[in-house]
Amino acid sequence: MTTPGPAGSTPRAKRVDARRNEQTLLEAAAAVFVTDGVDAPVRLIAERAGVGMGTIYRHFPTRPALVAAVYQHQVEALAEAGPALLREAGDPAVALQRWAAGFVDFLVTKHGLAGALGSDTEGVNTLHQYFVDRLVPVCDALLDAALGPKTSGRVSGYMLMRGIGNLCIGGANDPHYDAARLANLLVTGALTGEQHDLDSDAVVAPLR
Amino acid sequence: MTTPGPAGSTPRAKRVDARRNEQTLLEAAAAVFVTDGVDAPVRLIAERAGVGMGTIYRHFPTRPALVAAVYQHQVEALAEAGPALLREAGDPAVALQRWAAGFVDFLVTKHGLAGALGSDTEGVNTLHQYFVDRLVPVCDALLDAALGPKTSGRVSGYMLMRGIGNLCIGGANDPHYDAARLANLLVTGALTGEQHDLDSDAVVAPLR
DNA sequence: TGCCAAGCGGAGCAATGCTCCGTATTGTTC
DNA sequence: GAACAATACGGAGCATTGCTCCGCTTGGCA
């Protein structure tokens, strides 16, 4: 459904200036994201690309969509790294730890990406959606390999990834915060299994 | 330094209308936070309190400061729950797990609090600061009790709390996400200790 | 009662994501 | 090569934020 495809009348290819602008925009956005972080204003990207606001929004329906497009390659690489690690590493648990480390590194390298990923507003966050669709199956496969076939209580790849993603928020500006370390601990916890005897009500009651 | 104190000439007590407005504002803010989440616009709070924008900003220098003031009681309760749990529970590890569960419950109950907490912009986020000052020592004490006196490699209370806080971001709107569960796993990981053999470069290299 | 510091309200500023529409460019058709 | 849609472009403008500024009001002391 994403490629034009020969359904109905041929929808006529994009004009060359359109294609060129799309490319220019991707490059400009990538550059701006490096210098100003993923939260850089759209206007800045437009200016850098020598293009108007409207042009951006014709090519990318929303801001997150642009971000998703910029990082598409890297997400792809990460997705492919999963099976590869499983082959190379002897222990599937190690493979999972390494893959998680790679994911963390990717997120913290791009300032603010993790944060942008987390804002699941309205359920129509393209960025979030794209990451989930592409990477969750990979993560699930790693978990399966490490813990055996999925049991009902086991943590899902989706949860683990969202957890890691959230841990990567706000890492910069804070030398005392180490997202990689925390993610490692989280994965360790996921591999270890859950402690089940908690009854939080004792603590929680006085707080409401 | 926060209370007027008898340094220099007595600075004259606040006027009654000012005190009344401050109280009204705290109540209005609490109410709005419940219905609209912690991210509710300041204008809305002012309107609800029947008060102008300026009044809010005279009483609370910045938006996060208002949020901090609103949740002061609960934070206090959570801080006091730490030592209590340590006394009651036989196992310090269990005490830590329970305390963490209470922290999570507090954060997810208030829509968006965790997110507001995370935005450490400019280093002058009162909200963040307040939580850290009051709760980190408690968390450290629990960790000490569970893992013995602090060793160089051990995760710090600060990191653990920030990690848990981040895990609580975006929990609502997503039935598949369970912050409490992830936090539990993270604490389990922290109690278990770290896996040290990761060499993320193998995964990471192709991503940059 | 008169005075004035303390307090108040809300218009206004700057930043941001996104939309709208008049204008310019492209590529097809003759 | 010229005419003419269809497509694409630019950027002014809208709505929403957090926060500031300043003229007016009011509490409380003398």
Side-chain angles (χ1 to χ4, degrees), chain B residues 145-168:
Chain B
L147 293 178
K150 177 154 188 168
T151 56
S152 69
R154 198 242 279 162
V155 71
S156 69
Y158 175 75
M159 282 248 311
L160 186 56
M161 284 206 52
R162 285 219 52 186
I164 295 175
N166 275 353
L167 287 178
C168 293

Side-chain angles (χ1 to χ4, degrees), chain A residues 132-153:
Chain A
V132 166
D133 288 350
R134 196 65 187 88
L135 297 181
V136 162
V138 176
C139 187
D140 263 323
L142 285 162
L143 271 170
D144 282 347
L147 293 178
K150 177 155 187 166
T151 56
S152 68

Side-chain angles (χ1 to χ4, degrees), chain A residues 74 77 97 105 153-155 158-159 162 166 169 174 176-178 181 184-185 188 194-195 198 204 207, chain B residues 74 77 97 105 153-155 158-159 162 166 169 174 176-178 181 184 189 194-195 198 204 207:
Chain A
Q74 279 110 321
Q97 288 281 22
D105 199 276
R154 198 243 279 163
V155 71
Y158 174 74
M159 282 249 309
R162 285 221 49 186
N166 276 352
I169 295 180
D174 190 345
H176 300 298
Y177 188 78
D178 183 348
R181 178 96 170 280
N184 185 282
L185 292 179
T188 300
E194 204 163 359
Q195 311 303 91
L198 9 143
V204 165
L207 304 179
Chain B
Q74 280 111 321
Q97 289 280 22
D105 199 277
R154 198 242 279 162
V155 71
Y158 175 75
M159 282 248 311
R162 285 219 52 186
N166 275 353
I169 295 179
D174 190 346
H176 301 299
Y177 187 78
D178 183 348
R181 178 96 171 280
N184 184 280
E194 204 164 358
Q195 312 301 93
L198 9 143
V204 165
L207 305 178

Side-chain angles (χ1 to χ4, degrees), chain A residues 51-77:
Chain A
V51 134
M53 299 278 306
T55 304
I56 286 195
Y57 282 93
R58 202 161 323 97
H59 287 287
F60 308 96
T62 172
R63 212 185 161 291
L66 171 59
V67 181
V70 167
Y71 292 122
Q72 202 170 355
H73 307 78
Q74 279 110 321
V75 171
E76 204 57 35

Side-chain angles (χ1 to χ4, degrees), chain B residues 44-194:
Chain B
L44 201 63
I45 299 167
E47 190 183 357
R48 174 78 160 244
V51 135
M53 298 277 307
T55 304
I56 287 196
Y57 281 94
R58 201 159 325 94
H59 288 286
F60 307 95
T62 171
R63 212 185 160 292
L66 172 59
V67 181
V70 167
Y71 292 122
Q72 202 171 352
H73 308 77
Q74 280 111 321
V75 171
E76 204 56 35
L78 198 52
E80 285 165 10
L85 279 168
L86 216 43
R87 257 179 274 118
E88 292 165 18
D91 186 354
V94 171
L96 177 57
Q97 289 280 22
R98 286 198 182 144
W99 188 78
F103 184 44
V104 169
D105 199 277
F106 170 54
L107 288 182
V108 299
T109 302
K110 331 294 174 193
H111 309 194
L113 217 204
L117 216 61
S119 66
D120 197 8
T121 333
E122 307 281 322
V124 271
N125 185 331
T126 322
L127 186 54
H128 180 86
Q129 197 55 43
Y130 175 60
F131 271 68
V132 166
D133 288 350
R134 195 66 187 87
L135 297 181
V136 162
V138 176
C139 187
D140 262 323
L142 285 162
L143 272 170
D144 281 348
L147 293 178
K150 177 154 188 168
T151 56
S152 69
R154 198 242 279 162
V155 71
S156 69
Y158 175 75
M159 282 248 311
L160 186 56
M161 284 206 52
R162 285 219 52 186
I164 295 175
N166 275 353
L167 287 178
C168 293
I169 295 179
N173 331 329
D174 190 346
H176 301 299
Y177 187 78
D178 183 348
R181 178 96 171 280
L182 286 173
N184 184 280
L185 292 178
L186 179 60
V187 174
T188 300
L191 291 171
T192 305
E194 204 164 358

